[in-house]
Amino acid sequence: MCGIVAYVGEQEAYPILIKGLQRLAYRGYDSSGVAICNGKMTVYKKKGKLRALVDYAKDQDTKGKIGIGHTRWATHGEPNDVNAHPHNSQNGKLSLVHNGIIENYAPLKEMLIKKGHRFVSDTDTEVLIHLIEEVQRVEKVNLEEAVRLSLHSVVGAYAIVVISEDEPDKIVAARKSSPLVIGLGEKEFFVASDATPIVEHTKNVIYLNDGEIAVVDLENGLRIKNMENDSVTPYIQELEIKLEKLEKEGFDHFMLKEIYQQDNSIRDCLRGRLNSKTDLLHLRGMKDLEDQFAAAKRLIIVACGTSWHAGLVGEYLIEDLARIPVEVEYASEFRYRKPIIYEDDVVIALSQSGETADTLAAIRMAKEQGATIFGICNVVGSSIARESHAGSYTHAGPEIGVASTKAFTTQLTVLTLMGLILGKKRGTIPEEIYKEIVEGLESIPNLIKQVMETEEQIKYIAEEFKDVSNFLYLGRGYNFPIALEGALKLKEISYIHAEGYPAAEMKHGPIALIDDSMPVVVVATNESAYEKIISNIQEVKARKGRIIAITTLKDKIIEELADYVIQIPNVPEPLAPLLATIPLQLLSYHIAVLRNCDVDQPRNLAKSVTVE
Ligand code: G6P
């Protein structure tokens, strides 16, 4: 949450910072700002999307070869020009951008006020730059030492970048629990919250670890040290991201592009892992832990948001195919409710970004208590991926739309592979069912293409329902988490209130909401409990609810009952979520577009939630 970018080198910093902030906008977009040092420190910052900053700065002098930039998702202090980053020291010579939360900002602020500091914003961040200024004044040290000493007094999470008028070609960056990547170019350096602002300039990067401070200056290059001032040898990695993957490539929105990419992203996710002809089924990351997995008395999946919904599908999959008990936990609840963790537990962290603060904290806690951690992440090199004992990447490629789509379906793909691997090892899947699922999974990319053909029909349904205020989503079994996910997608991007419910639970409450204005999306591709789903549909119909059903191509009964039917190919039940979720993504997308909502950057949200 919040995006940071910094540059020092021989080029003009401003355009590099703005382009970088564009790439990082998924991390927050309620205000943005840059500080450029060209002899003097100048800061431009503006409330609103990046466009507002660009318009504001367009006739100003933005020249300079060193600078820092920030795109904000407000935590302390409302989104306005003053609270936007960068924040300066009292003497105006130091400037800082920050991602995270300084938890002890109040006592620090009080102490600094007593020493004569005056604050202009409501942010925790401003306290940090005044603290660095104060330490520098008292200790008479250079910028890097002032940053290091100051951070000893800070409680909380941070990724920070600081520059100073007095050391005009030096950048100091530090991280604790929020990501930072350093790009090494030819006589130039980049620092950013992720690699996307860096990839078009250099492929050589270093992922900073927690508790490390990086100092780059044009004369001495890069140095990394820890909080005790010991040097750390940097580990340089080569980026694999392709630049075109960060562009919309002709689509109106990243979200639509990412919905359309799902056939390929699942193909990429399966590559080298599954092949029915050669009997290949394997997840390299699981190899060393297979015995541990198979012997575990239970698995615990921790995740947030859409990833939590994938985790719920994972519970159905692994319990069904491998007969291992699975618990699925919201990471934020898990970590604070003193959970009972056994040493033979395997904790699976599901996270697109690999940076979600609650999920990261949950695995750290479970690790401390002896559990084995398996990370399923999309972003390569992310914190969760690095802090897990083992893991598997989803290989969905960069997901930029804030509402998660292809990351979700590739998470389901990895979980299906896990279910199959464990089921095979434990002998819990009958041979013919195993074969059916393996072949079905291989055919999913082609079937997704077929599902995309329902888009015109979905646009028509979106037109019909774009002005309603409420939606209900129902599903049973494997489709229950899909109902939850469908409702979440709609809320996130169209701001229509939507609830997902297990279909049978409807009669315990939500049924009271049903009248002739209530659209009810029923995800009804199930073979098991099919009659029960029909009964649930009848219950809605009897109260004049308007039914939009997702069914399989062969279903004629629901076709008769529902007001609108979207048909998808028939696949073995454990694979149905992979297809059934796609019409729901498209429905929320088209409703949001018709309501003129900012699909890729919905209000109040951010893609990577690095605060708790
Ligand atoms: C945010 C995003 C969601 C995402 C959730 C968990 O809320 O907007 O799309 O599902 O974080 O993120 P993660 O990166 O851990 O999957």
Side-chain angles (χ1 to χ4, degrees):
M1 198 140 250
C2 297
I4 287 178
V5 60
Y7 174 80
V8 60
E10 293 180 342
Q11 303 186 59
E12 282 301 311
Y14 179 77
I16 293 173
L17 297 178
I18 294 295
K19 190 77 193 283
L21 291 179
Q22 236 164 37
R23 297 247 189 262
L24 293 173
Y26 74 87
R27 300 181 69 87
Y29 33 79
D30 59 40
S31 53
S32 51
V34 291
I36 310 265
C37 188
N38 191 12
K40 257 194 99 34
M41 193 73 73
T42 318
V43 173
Y44 300 110
K45 46 190 193 172
K46 265 279 159 244
K47 176 186 168 174
K49 301 240 160 100
L50 187 61
R51 185 81 256 145
L53 172 67
V54 172
D55 289 346
Y56 171 67
K58 83 173 174 294
D59 300 322
Q60 320 249 18
D61 178 12
T62 54
K63 284 205 179 59
K65 306 211 157 153
I66 179 167
I68 55 180
H70 189 267
T71 179
R72 182 170 186 242
W73 186 89
T75 56
H76 290 64
E78 64 172 273
N80 60 28
D81 293 354
V82 176
N83 289 335
H85 299 211
H87 289 281
N88 280 3
S89 55
Q90 185 139 322
N91 63 12
K93 288 184 166 198
L94 308 179
S95 196
L96 170 143
V97 286
H98 167 221
N99 164 208
I101 291 182
I102 307 302
E103 285 170 13
N104 62 338
Y105 82 100
L108 289 174
K109 189 169 184 175
E110 205 181 306
M111 177 273 285
L112 288 162
I113 289 172
K114 282 195 191 130
K115 292 186 185 292
H117 288 257
R118 288 186 316 279
F119 292 89
V120 292
S121 79
D122 308 318
T123 64
D124 49 339
T125 305
E126 194 185 8
V127 174
L128 193 49
I129 192 66
H130 281 247
L131 178 65
I132 294 167
E133 177 182 31
E134 183 61 25
V135 168
Q136 201 167 25
R137 189 184 68 79
V138 174
E139 303 290 336
K140 310 250 173 309
V141 287
N142 65 9
L143 181 64
E144 60 192 80
E145 192 55 3
V147 169
R148 190 182 73 82
L149 294 175
S150 302
L151 289 178
H152 277 285
S153 321
V154 166
V155 178
Y158 51 77
I160 58 167
V161 183
V162 198
I163 54 175
S164 165
E165 239 174 65
D166 292 338
E167 297 171 65
D169 63 3
K170 183 187 276 185
I171 289 176
V172 180
R175 96 157 248 180
K176 185 181 164 212
S177 296
S178 294
L180 270 186
V181 188
I182 297 157
L184 311 172
E186 283 276 314
K187 297 198 192 130
E188 58 182 0
F189 296 93
F190 307 81
V191 182
S193 299
D194 71 27
T196 59
I198 297 176
V199 64
E200 59 202 273
H201 305 286
T202 173
K203 294 266 188 268
N204 297 324
V205 296
I206 289 156
Y207 291 90
L208 212 59
N209 290 311
D210 265 1
E212 288 180 353
I213 299 170
V215 184
V216 286
D217 69 71
L218 290 180
E219 212 177 295
N220 302 305
L222 166 77
R223 283 170 293 129
I224 297 185
K225 51 188 176 177
N226 61 20
M227 293 287 286
E228 282 64 54
N229 218 9
D230 307 319
S231 294
V232 174
T233 311
Y235 170 56
I236 302 175
Q237 302 190 36
E238 198 170 317
L239 286 177
E240 285 175 10
I241 312 173
K242 294 210 175 69
L243 201 53
E244 65 273 14
K245 296 214 164 159
L246 304 175
E247 309 288 347
K248 286 193 198 136
E249 295 184 286
F251 285 91
D252 288 345
H253 297 97
F254 281 110
M255 183 181 176
L256 188 63
K257 172 184 157 187
E258 288 155 7
I259 293 174
Y260 266 90
Q261 279 181 325
Q262 289 176 105
D263 56 334
N264 277 330
S265 54
I266 291 179
R267 209 170 272 123
D268 290 344
C269 180
L270 290 176
R271 185 163 302 122
R273 292 171 167 177
L274 183 78
N275 187 331
S276 59
K277 289 184 195 73
T278 58
D279 219 9
L280 172 76
L281 170 67
H282 119 131
L283 276 174
R284 207 175 55 215
M286 258 183 98
K287 199 84 202 120
D288 295 339
L289 295 184
E290 250 175 61
D291 291 336
Q292 227 154 321
F293 262 105
K297 284 192 206 63
R298 62 168 185 179
L299 307 179
I300 302 172
I301 299 180
V302 290
C304 304
T306 289
S307 296
W308 184 77
H309 293 156
L312 285 182
V313 179
E315 177 181 20
Y316 283 85
L317 279 164
I318 295 170
E319 292 199 346
D320 185 1
L321 303 178
R323 310 301 300 149
I324 304 174
V326 179
E327 287 172 24
V328 186
E329 302 266 3
Y330 282 118
S332 55
E333 288 298 316
F334 179 74
R335 55 182 291 214
Y336 285 117
R337 69 165 175 77
K338 300 196 193 132
I340 299 161
I341 300 169
Y342 301 109
E343 285 194 356
D344 56 3
D345 282 339
V346 179
V347 174
I348 302 172
L350 270 179
S351 174
Q352 187 287 128
S353 61
E355 299 295 349
T356 301
D358 281 318
T359 312
L360 188 56
I363 64 163
R364 284 179 180 158
M365 186 187 76
K367 206 169 171 184
E368 256 170 40
Q369 296 185 35
T372 302
I373 314 296
F374 190 82
I376 301 179
C377 301
N378 189 36
V379 177
V380 176
S382 54
S383 302
I384 293 173
R386 288 186 295 142
E387 294 195 23
S388 298
H389 294 110
S392 291
Y393 285 116
T394 50
H395 297 303
E399 189 182 65
I400 293 165
V402 165
S404 184
T405 51
K406 63 176 182 169
F408 178 66
T409 44
T410 51
Q411 286 171 338
L412 299 187
T413 307
V414 171
L415 290 164
T416 312
L417 290 171
M418 287 178 83
L420 286 167
I421 292 170
L422 293 173
K424 193 172 183 194
K425 191 168 173 75
R426 289 165 55 88
T428 45
I429 320 180
E431 191 52 40
E432 67 284 4
I433 295 186
Y434 173 82
K435 201 162 167 278
E436 217 177 271
I437 300 176
V438 165
E439 286 172 6
L441 188 53
E442 273 179 324
S443 67
I444 289 289
N446 289 336
L447 298 180
I448 284 181
K449 279 202 153 140
Q450 219 173 307
V451 176
M452 295 309 299
E453 288 165 16
T454 58
E455 192 182 5
E456 281 311 306
Q457 192 195 353
I458 292 170
K459 268 190 201 166
Y460 174 78
I461 300 173
E463 189 70 58
E464 290 287 295
F465 290 100
K466 67 177 193 308
D467 297 319
V468 303
S469 316
N470 295 290
F471 254 88
L472 191 59
Y473 286 70
L474 303 176
R476 293 185 83 110
Y478 278 104
N479 284 331
F480 158 54
I482 299 308
L484 294 181
E485 175 58 12
L488 177 64
K489 283 284 88 77
L490 188 71
K491 281 189 273 228
E492 277 180 311
I493 60 169
S494 75
Y495 318 140
I496 293 176
H497 169 249
E499 280 193 55
Y501 245 81
E505 273 293 303
M506 176 186 64
K507 53 186 170 296
H508 299 293
I511 201 162
L513 299 169
I514 296 176
D515 60 18
D516 59 5
S517 65
M518 175 68 110
V520 182
V521 178
V522 188
V523 192
T525 59
N526 310 54
E527 276 175 13
S528 50
Y530 179 72
E531 289 74 23
K532 310 269 181 233
I533 281 271
I534 307 256
S535 307
N536 298 139
I537 292 177
Q538 295 283 18
E539 286 154 15
V540 175
K541 211 174 156 62
R543 286 152 187 91
K544 301 198 165 36
R546 299 161 76 193
I547 298 158
I548 304 161
I550 315 292
T551 66
T552 60
L553 283 166
K554 62 176 192 193
D555 192 323
K556 296 289 165 236
I557 302 176
I558 298 181
E559 201 176 343
E560 291 284 304
L561 289 174
D563 299 271
Y564 304 86
V565 175
I566 300 160
Q567 292 187 314
I568 61 173
N570 196 33
V571 287
E573 217 162 325
L575 304 179
L578 285 162
L579 299 183
T581 199
I582 290 170
L584 306 187
Q585 295 169 347
L586 285 168
L587 183 65
S588 46
Y589 171 79
H590 284 293
I591 291 180
V593 169
L594 289 166
R595 288 165 69 94
N596 284 323
C597 297
D598 189 339
V599 172
D600 284 335
Q601 296 182 353
R603 72 183 177 207
N604 304 339
L605 295 179
K607 190 156 188 69
S608 185
V609 181
T610 54
V611 295
E612 296 172 15

